[in-house]
Amino acid sequence: MKILADADLVLEFLLNRGTFAEDAHKLLTEIAKFPEVEVYVTDKCLKRAHLELLDRRNDQTSEHIVNSIVDMLDGRIIEIDNSIKEKARNYSLRDFDSAEEVACAIEMQLNTIVTQNPQNFDGSTLAIWSVGNLLNIVQLEKNLDRCYSPCRGASSAFEPNQTQGASLSAAKLREAGLYGTDLHGVDLQGVDLSGVNLYATNLYDANLCDADLTGANLCDADLSSANLSGTNLSGANLSGADLTSADISGVNLSDAIVKKAQFGGNSGLTDELELDLKQRGAVFEDCWG
């Protein structure tokens, strides 16, 4: 997995400032130790870091700190040249520095950008993650590599790509199982989870937009506040699942088992769909108690 660390996040680490300093520390000292993760930064990021450090320390100290980062990254520093700048001008991002980082990530075929300011990348087709999101994904991949059997409650992972945000090995997922796994907030947009065992999985606030969950076991899963817009849930088992406040715009629930599944406060819920779900045993907030 190849990621680009946003310049602002790197500065949080170096200057130990703000509420994201701990996340930045995890990224550059913990995640960077995993052999499956390659962390990249831009040369502009390091130049900014040097200037910021000069305001607080002497030139020799700041030079030493930046050089330590360079050594740790082992050559994974991307130069922002005129070609990158030209490509960045074609992006409709409101922050030009962020547009340059997107151009760098695409040019180097990186999987994602890790940032504390995802709003700066609105409009980008590249996957944008928080450090917490990345930590979840790394842990899932480590669990998958251990080849747990389903009876041991294994987890799995996905590898993002530039066009869809994520690409799962469905065969490995079906073999390993994901049930009981904490996947809250994880971006699984467009992934193939058909037939996967997600029993009692925590998918709170997860992005499952356009995902394929055909025939998946989501019994007792927490899907509250999840983005299920365009998701294919045909034939899935949602009995006892919590879908309150989930976005179900354009979701396919044909032949899905929804007995005791909890709905309420859902975006995209039509009167026709609500009546159909109630007739099939679903529970709505106004029916609780």
Side-chain angles (χ1 to χ4, degrees):
M1 182 190 302
K2 298 179 180 180
I3 68 170
L4 178 67
D6 177 34
D8 289 339
L9 195 58
V10 175
L11 290 173
E12 292 290 345
F13 169 74
L14 293 174
L15 304 177
N16 193 29
R17 66 185 186 190
T19 57
F20 294 95
E22 184 177 351
D23 277 350
H25 184 270
K26 287 179 181 177
L27 174 65
L28 292 172
T29 61
E30 296 180 27
I31 296 177
K33 293 178 182 178
F34 292 118
E36 62 269 30
V37 179
E38 295 182 10
V39 180
Y40 291 73
V41 299
T42 67
D43 60 344
K44 186 174 182 178
C45 165
L46 294 179
K47 291 174 184 176
R48 283 183 58 192
H50 192 191
L51 291 174
E52 292 272 3
L53 288 167
L54 280 176
D55 289 339
R56 302 190 177 203
R57 299 177 173 91
N58 61 47
D59 183 65
Q60 186 175 1
T61 302
S62 62
E63 191 75 28
H64 173 72
I65 293 174
V66 172
N67 286 339
S68 297
I69 296 294
V70 171
D71 291 340
M72 182 179 67
L73 292 171
D74 192 24
R76 295 190 295 272
I77 301 167
I78 306 171
E79 179 186 358
I80 298 180
D81 56 20
N82 290 333
S83 173
I84 291 294
K85 291 178 181 178
E86 187 61 32
K87 291 176 182 177
R89 292 188 183 97
N90 294 324
Y91 298 135
S92 57
L93 278 66
R94 64 182 183 182
D95 181 77
F96 186 70
D97 288 341
S98 298
E100 288 181 330
E101 290 183 331
V102 169
C104 285
I106 293 176
E107 178 72 16
M108 297 298 295
Q109 298 184 332
L110 307 187
N111 301 116
T112 185
I113 294 175
V114 179
T115 179
Q116 65 192 31
N117 298 310
Q119 68 278 3
N120 289 345
F121 298 88
D122 286 347
S124 168
T125 58
L126 195 70
I128 306 298
W129 294 342
S130 67
V131 172
N133 200 169
L134 177 62
L135 283 169
N136 282 340
I137 293 162
V138 171
Q139 188 58 52
L140 288 173
E141 289 184 340
K142 287 170 68 67
N143 287 345
L144 181 60
D145 289 340
R146 293 189 187 110
C147 298
Y148 288 162
S149 63
C151 64
R152 293 176 65 183
S155 70
S156 188
F158 65 88
E159 295 177 355
N161 60 40
Q162 292 181 176
T163 56
Q164 294 179 323
S167 172
L168 282 169
S169 170
K172 287 185 178 181
L173 285 170
R174 294 188 188 98
E175 178 183 349
L178 283 174
Y179 54 83
T181 305
D182 183 2
L183 296 175
H184 78 276
V186 169
D187 186 353
L188 295 170
Q189 179 175 350
V191 302
D192 180 5
L193 290 167
S194 56
V196 174
N197 185 3
L198 294 160
Y199 172 78
T201 297
N202 180 8
L203 288 160
Y204 167 78
D205 199 34
N207 181 13
L208 291 159
C209 176
D210 297 323
D212 186 357
L213 287 157
T214 305
N217 180 10
L218 287 156
C219 182
D220 293 333
D222 184 356
L223 290 159
S224 57
S225 299
N227 181 0
L228 299 173
S229 58
T231 302
N232 188 353
L233 286 164
S234 60
N237 185 353
L238 291 161
S239 56
D242 184 358
L243 292 92
T244 54
S245 300
D247 184 351
I248 57 174
S249 306
V251 69
N252 182 355
L253 288 164
S254 61
D255 298 321
I257 302 171
V258 294
K259 186 176 181 180
K260 294 186 179 180
Q262 301 172 6
F263 291 84
N266 302 102
S267 301
L269 178 65
T270 64
D271 292 340
E272 181 181 6
L273 179 57
E274 180 175 352
L275 178 59
D276 176 57
L277 291 172
K278 286 180 178 178
Q279 291 174 341
R280 291 156 60 187
V283 180
F284 283 77
E285 283 187 333
D286 58 0
C287 302
W288 292 356

